Amino acid sequence: MIYRRTIFILFTEVIRVIITERFTTVFLKADENRMRRGLAYLFSILITTFFYALFNKPALNLLSTFLGLLAIGFSYSGTVKRKCMFVFYVLAISCLIDLAVYAVLVKTLDYNNYSAYASVLSLLLLLAAQVITKRLFGENINAEPNKRHWLFYIAALSVCIITSLFVFTDRTISPQSLFIVCCAFLLVNIIISYLIDDLIDSSKDALENQALRDQMKAYEREIILQNEKVEILRSFKHDMKHHFSEISALASAGDMEQIKKYVSDMSDNLNESAMLVDSGNTGLDTVLNYMLQRAADKDIPVNVRVAVPEELELSAYDMNIILGNIIENAIEAQKEVNAPGIDLVISYSMDSLLIELSNTYSHKIRFKEGLPVTTKRPASEHGYGIRNVRKVLDKYTNTLDFDCSEDRFTVRILMKIL
């Protein structure tokens, strides 16, 4: 009898671990160390089976489940916050489901009478909870919460777990009352999860909007300065005939010293107004000169080729977001490379604007949903640049491709300009 009971417990724990693995897809990211994850799952099965089969005490059962989930959670990659969220969430849901099933199927609160039917039903409800969790919170629950949200989340789940333990050890509450309490706790957990999900979503939007506002203010200031430089250069070109007349007069007088001084003054004035890009398209030139000057100030070699019609109407806002972010990322990537370099080609053909930016890089680039993942920390406050580029490009018929070679990272953008 004990042998059959142990086999049944082992079987149910294997199923529970399989369902738990489905929960990890919501909270965690698997790395390449499959051996570590396999050992963690095996440890979870063995420790829970051991405590359930030999002792079957609520506190010890809860402890074994907690240790098993802890081993599974920390066998995955990711932050400690997300791992703790996974452990406490699955443990709280499991406790509440067990209490609800126990209240419905068991006449008296005698934990030793927990039947095989109750075990199977709890597994089915746990699977349903996993499906609901992924359907409702699969997108944002995987986002990095801030410290306040995370502590609130863990505290709420801990209350559910501790309450479940007290109810099991008390045994004085009626099954009907227990069922009502469990349903209430489950509803509270769903509401809390939804609210935190909504808070995370709102925080992400607020951060993105603030980043866009700050970025646009900076670009507006620089565009004003760049336009002033453009006007200076145009004024200089306009006065070239006067300069030539003055130089000719000085040459006729044989005053070589004055000629040298005059040419030197012209050269200084020209250098102050020099632009890295002069395609004739002012809206494009201003943002390019601002961003590429930042690279030049950091002694990063820049190779630029721009060939677009002067009269081509481009949204200054869109160009600031697209070019500003990809060039800024390229500059950021040069910090740890031995031979920095940025190559940028922009051309226009058949109503389409082609942007190709290539730069050296050193760290390994990871992708999520087709976009490179930021390496800046904290990740919750960074990584919006390329997503903002994606949002702007969605207004156009476009393609956005990334290519990683051994030492160069390339972004290719093709957008239809109507």
Side-chain angles (χ1 to χ4, degrees), residues 343-385:
D343 296 320
L344 176 63
V345 177
I346 301 178
S347 60
Y348 180 79
S349 177
M350 299 179 65
D351 297 330
S352 295
L353 188 69
L354 172 64
I355 303 172
E356 181 173 309
L357 184 141
S358 177
N359 61 271
T360 54
Y361 74 103
S362 59
H363 60 273
K364 183 178 180 181
I365 297 178
R366 296 189 301 109
F367 287 85
K368 179 181 179 181
E369 298 177 356
L371 299 179
V373 178
T374 181
T375 57
K376 298 178 181 179
R377 292 294 179 266
S380 59
E381 299 178 7
H382 297 283
Y384 295 104

Side-chain angles (χ1 to χ4, degrees), residues 133-147:
T133 299
K134 188 163 187 177
R135 182 66 60 87
L136 294 180
F137 317 117
E139 292 295 327
N140 286 335
I141 208 168
N142 201 29
E144 190 71 30
N146 62 37
K147 184 177 181 180

Side-chain angles (χ1 to χ4, degrees), residues 300-303 330 334 337 339-343 358-360 408:
I300 300 173
V302 177
N303 181 27
Q334 306 307 295
V337 298
I342 297 175
D343 296 320
S358 177
N359 61 271
T360 54
R408 296 196 72 84

Side-chain angles (χ1 to χ4, degrees), residues 16-168:
R16 188 181 296 273
V17 161
I18 293 174
I19 298 174
T20 301
E21 192 275 335
R22 294 171 62 91
F23 273 102
T24 63
T25 62
V26 179
F27 291 90
L28 305 171
K29 292 294 182 182
D31 54 23
E32 298 178 355
N33 197 333
R34 295 183 179 180
M35 178 65 72
R36 183 176 62 186
R37 296 200 304 275
L39 292 175
Y41 282 113
L42 180 61
F43 170 79
S44 178
I45 293 171
L46 294 178
I47 192 173
T48 51
T49 301
F50 176 78
F51 278 94
Y52 272 83
L54 294 185
F55 302 104
N56 199 24
K57 300 295 182 182
L60 293 177
N61 292 344
L62 181 63
L63 177 62
S64 66
T65 304
F66 174 75
L67 292 176
L69 288 172
L70 202 64
I72 292 173
F74 280 82
S75 69
Y76 283 77
S77 60
T79 63
V80 174
K81 287 183 182 179
R82 292 234 292 262
K83 292 174 183 178
C84 289
M85 287 175 64
F86 160 75
V87 172
F88 281 87
Y89 183 86
V90 177
L91 186 60
I93 292 296
S94 299
C95 288
L96 294 176
I97 288 175
D98 285 346
L99 282 177
V101 172
Y102 189 72
V104 172
L105 297 184
V106 180
K107 294 182 179 180
T108 61
L109 277 172
D110 182 3
Y111 195 77
N112 293 322
N113 289 334
Y114 197 89
S115 68
Y117 299 105
S119 298
V120 173
L121 182 56
S122 67
L123 290 177
L124 292 175
L125 291 177
L126 184 63
L127 178 60
Q130 185 276 326
V131 173
I132 294 172
T133 299
K134 188 163 187 177
R135 182 66 60 87
L136 294 180
F137 317 117
E139 292 295 327
N140 286 335
I141 208 168
N142 201 29
E144 190 71 30
N146 62 37
K147 184 177 181 180
R148 181 166 56 89
H149 294 163
W150 177 72
L151 292 176
F152 180 66
Y153 191 85
I154 296 299
L157 295 176
S158 298
V159 169
C160 295
I161 296 169
I162 294 171
T163 302
S164 301
L165 181 61
F166 277 132
V167 170
F168 266 125

Side-chain angles (χ1 to χ4, degrees), residues 278-340:
D278 187 14
S279 68
N281 190 298
T282 304
L284 195 61
D285 290 347
T286 47
V287 64
L288 285 176
N289 279 296
Y290 165 55
M291 293 304 302
L292 295 176
Q293 186 60 52
R294 290 176 56 185
D297 292 342
K298 297 178 183 293
D299 296 325
I300 300 173
V302 177
N303 181 27
V304 187
R305 285 184 293 146
V306 180
V308 296
E310 293 184 15
E311 67 278 5
L312 180 63
E313 294 186 5
L314 298 172
S315 168
Y317 179 88
D318 293 348
M319 290 300 102
N320 280 324
I321 298 301
I322 296 171
L323 294 171
N325 279 297
I326 64 174
I327 295 175
E328 184 175 16
N329 288 342
I331 294 173
E332 188 72 21
Q334 306 307 295
K335 289 182 177 180
E336 300 177 357
V337 298
N338 295 325

